[in-house]
Amino acid sequence: MAESNALDDHGFVKLYDGGNEHICRHVWSARPINDQHRTSTPPKRVARTIRDALDAAEVEADGGLLDFMPVDKLGHIINETSILHLLHQLDSCYQMPANEKQTLAADICQSNGTDRCSCRKLVATLIKIGQEDDIPSMVREGFRDDSLPLWRSDKCSTMRHRTTHAICRTMDRWDNRKRREFWRTSNQYNAPYFVRPQTRGIYHYVLHEGVTLPFMREDTEFQEDEDNSRNPNPDPETVGDGGGFSMVRRVKIHPGHHQFGDYGIPSQDNIFAIKSLYTKRERDFEDEVSVLLRFTHRTDKQLAKLLATYEVRTERDVTYHLIFPWADWSVRTLWKQCPSVDRRNPSRLQWIARQSVAVVESLTFIHEEYANGLDPNNRERWGRHGDIKAENFLVYKDSSEAITMGLIFMADFGLSRFHRQESRSMVHPSAASPSYRPPEFDIPGGTLSRKSDIWSLGAFFLEFLTWYLKGWTCVESDFPDFRYEEDHQRINSDIYFRIENPGSSQSVIVKPQVTEWILRLHLHPDCTHFVHDLLDLIEDEMLNVDKDVRIGAKDLHTKLVSMNERCNSDWNYCMGRCACGRTRA
């Protein structure tokens, strides 16, 4: 049960049935008949046996919320054989011919060759609350799994089909307590089933108040990192009003409630990141998703993968949520967890070279392929990342290589970077990391562009080499403290540039402290030919205050590919100490 919206061109499809169509097709389509009720259950006790099985199958939800019923287990319990046996015992079916009971059981389990949604969740709910005699009546009224949850009045005096708005006449003889019990239990049994289209795009699930999400309590307690950086959006974003834009949390989705397929990132034992937006505006949500849709199926690019989205509607508002793979670390957390590197092992430097190529390849995709699909007048402003920093690169385990430290994926393509900014003045300071921001951010009349990302990436690469040669402490404190000074706005800052003589005769330079730091890295005894070349590339072509001269992503990628190939084929280039003759003179 799907509906397309303005994002349809990019494969965004709304689902209103919680994935029931996919459940019937993928989870229950080949369910073997379970005949345990046919032979072992005494007459008049079928419903009780099914209730006991349902109770035993429920799973404790995350956060101590209501238990939920996994759809795979429900499919084992509510099958054509067990339901047919139950129908034979119901007073309401006493005069129903045997062939009609067979047809009804097949209809309930959607095993009669039709394209209709099943009634398994609906029937399971009725059995659970002791109203199994009302099964034939509700099915005849047209209520099925895709009509759940039913719309209810304030005191549950009326229950309606959510789509047709037809009043459920079967419930007229129930009291309000029993209607509330049905509504609550049906929500427990109606947890969504998340899937991902095989070709492109995502499914967006429209859920309603009271829904029980299939998020499991984890067996081991998870300790959040201090910098909250093991997810696709580690830091709360901000919009123009200065309020928090999103929050990310770690969840474990029941394995029977998702089928995301191969999305280019190693599996993390059903662990995912849920990014919840604070905004209530649909336009903000669509702006956030529209960018991710362009590359979520590109497994050849190390870019954050959006797997699905959902919204939860109440009578008053709506909340929006995005599902991503969960990352092991951000790059910054990796540096912190591995404060020093065995520089005698060439695999470490080869890993840096390989992942640097992947990072720039991802940025090139944003700058070229993604940007080319935008209005030519706005490519420079819109077709960029805008917040490159160590926290926004995620590290995923790479089981294919025992020596690797992981795959680095570019993430955090947030609203503040990709929405249609009309002018530089609309860019909130959080749209670029204060430390990594480029000079054009502070120059009056300066314009942000794709080249602005190159400056920030140069700062990131410089920190990467600082970690490799000098360790985490130098990244965290020594290097920032070394370049810390009062800037042109009389604010103490660790940015990488300096504006001299602010005003009409102003000039912009790279801070002498940064130049000095690069020289110190050149003079480090473990600075190899590869590290020397990368430092030169950073200093000469990335941290260039003139953005028109600054290297572009495509050319940068070409150079790094060549350096990576040499690093893997030439041991001396990778590990040989550089005798470049650099001095402080």
Side-chain angles (χ1 to χ4, degrees), residues 58-72:
E58 291 177 2
V59 172
E60 183 178 353
D62 180 40
L65 302 175
L66 291 173
D67 296 344
F68 67 91
M69 171 59 65
V71 292
D72 53 346

Side-chain angles (χ1 to χ4, degrees), residues 282-346:
E282 185 176 15
R283 177 59 185 273
D284 290 344
F285 166 72
E286 291 182 351
D287 285 342
E288 180 86 2
V289 171
S290 64
V291 179
L292 297 165
L293 280 172
R294 311 291 182 91
F295 50 75
T296 189
H297 279 274
R298 293 294 297 267
T299 56
D300 60 325
K301 300 291 185 282
Q302 289 178 202
L303 293 159
K305 308 302 181 187
L306 179 63
L307 303 178
T309 60
Y310 66 93
E311 64 183 74
V312 180
R313 295 180 177 180
T314 67
E315 291 185 4
R316 294 182 177 84
D317 58 24
V318 59
T319 56
Y320 296 100
H321 311 267
L322 296 78
I323 304 178
F324 297 90
W326 180 261
D328 298 286
W329 301 288
S330 73
V331 168
R332 186 171 182 83
T333 305
L334 174 65
W335 293 342
K336 182 178 180 180
Q337 296 295 326
C338 303
S340 61
V341 181
D342 180 7
R343 291 185 292 276
R344 297 169 300 177
N345 187 344

Side-chain angles (χ1 to χ4, degrees), residues 203-215:
Y203 291 121
H204 175 71
Y205 293 75
V206 179
L207 308 176
H208 295 274
E209 181 181 13
V211 64
T212 302
L213 294 165
F215 301 159

Side-chain angles (χ1 to χ4, degrees), residues 485 488 497-512:
E485 67 179 21
H488 56 286
F497 62 91
R498 177 190 294 171
I499 297 180
E500 297 186 322
N501 304 316
S504 58
S505 61
Q506 71 180 14
S507 62
V508 184
I509 63 168
V510 174
K511 280 183 177 178

Side-chain angles (χ1 to χ4, degrees), residues 115-392:
D115 292 329
R116 299 179 68 192
C117 185
S118 79
C119 304
R120 296 195 200 210
K121 296 179 180 180
L122 177 76
V123 166
T125 301
L126 291 171
I127 296 172
K128 179 66 184 290
I129 68 172
Q131 295 295 137
E132 56 272 6
D133 266 304
D134 289 321
I135 291 173
S137 176
M138 284 198 70
V139 173
R140 280 195 298 267
E141 285 195 68
F143 290 93
R144 312 188 74 82
D145 289 350
D146 57 4
S147 63
L148 300 175
L150 300 185
W151 179 89
R152 60 173 182 166
S153 59
D154 290 341
K155 296 183 179 180
C156 288
S157 58
T158 303
M159 303 286 278
R160 294 177 180 268
H161 194 294
R162 186 166 292 277
T163 304
T164 67
H165 307 294
I167 295 176
C168 182
R169 295 303 178 186
T170 300
M171 293 185 183
D172 283 348
R173 56 183 177 271
W174 296 7
D175 58 27
N176 289 352
R177 180 191 62 80
K178 183 63 70 174
R179 295 190 194 97
R180 284 194 295 270
E181 187 179 1
F182 175 90
W183 190 83
R184 179 179 59 83
T185 304
S186 66
N187 278 321
Q188 290 178 254
Y189 287 8
N190 196 37
Y193 177 74
F194 296 111
V195 296
R196 191 165 180 253
Q198 293 183 352
T199 54
R200 67 186 184 100
I202 60 165
Y203 291 121
H204 175 71
Y205 293 75
V206 179
L207 308 176
H208 295 274
E209 181 181 13
V211 64
T212 302
L213 294 165
F215 301 159
M216 303 171 63
R217 183 180 65 83
E218 294 191 53
D219 296 331
T220 57
E221 185 177 353
F222 168 70
Q223 296 294 330
E224 191 79 54
D225 288 330
E226 289 182 8
D227 63 358
N228 188 30
S229 57
R230 294 172 59 186
N231 53 62
N233 186 47
D235 299 316
E237 295 177 323
T238 56
V239 288
D241 59 5
F245 182 69
S246 65
M247 176 191 71
V248 178
R249 61 192 179 102
R250 166 187 167 121
V251 301
K252 183 174 184 177
I253 301 180
H254 189 280
H257 276 263
H258 70 86
Q259 190 180 62
F260 289 129
D262 179 18
Y263 43 85
I265 297 175
S267 173
Q268 287 294 303
D269 192 26
N270 303 303
I271 303 299
F272 298 91
I274 305 294
K275 178 176 180 179
S276 300
L277 307 186
Y278 292 143
T279 179
K280 307 295 184 183
R281 295 180 297 187
E282 185 176 15
R283 177 59 185 273
D284 290 344
F285 166 72
E286 291 182 351
D287 285 342
E288 180 86 2
V289 171
S290 64
V291 179
L292 297 165
L293 280 172
R294 311 291 182 91
F295 50 75
T296 189
H297 279 274
R298 293 294 297 267
T299 56
D300 60 325
K301 300 291 185 282
Q302 289 178 202
L303 293 159
K305 308 302 181 187
L306 179 63
L307 303 178
T309 60
Y310 66 93
E311 64 183 74
V312 180
R313 295 180 177 180
T314 67
E315 291 185 4
R316 294 182 177 84
D317 58 24
V318 59
T319 56
Y320 296 100
H321 311 267
L322 296 78
I323 304 178
F324 297 90
W326 180 261
D328 298 286
W329 301 288
S330 73
V331 168
R332 186 171 182 83
T333 305
L334 174 65
W335 293 342
K336 182 178 180 180
Q337 296 295 326
C338 303
S340 61
V341 181
D342 180 7
R343 291 185 292 276
R344 297 169 300 177
N345 187 344
S347 67
R348 293 294 178 252
L349 204 51
Q350 289 169 343
W351 171 74
I352 292 176
R354 186 166 56 251
Q355 295 310 307
S356 297
V357 170
V359 164
V360 178
E361 183 177 16
S362 297
L363 187 63
T364 302
F365 175 86
I366 296 297
H367 285 191
E368 300 291 335
E369 188 169 338
Y370 169 78
N372 287 341
L374 301 175
D375 181 342
N377 296 323
N378 294 291
R379 284 174 186 165
E380 288 298 325
R381 288 181 294 168
W382 301 348
R384 61 190 179 87
H385 185 284
D387 195 14
I388 289 177
K389 57 184 178 181
E391 292 89 340
N392 287 340

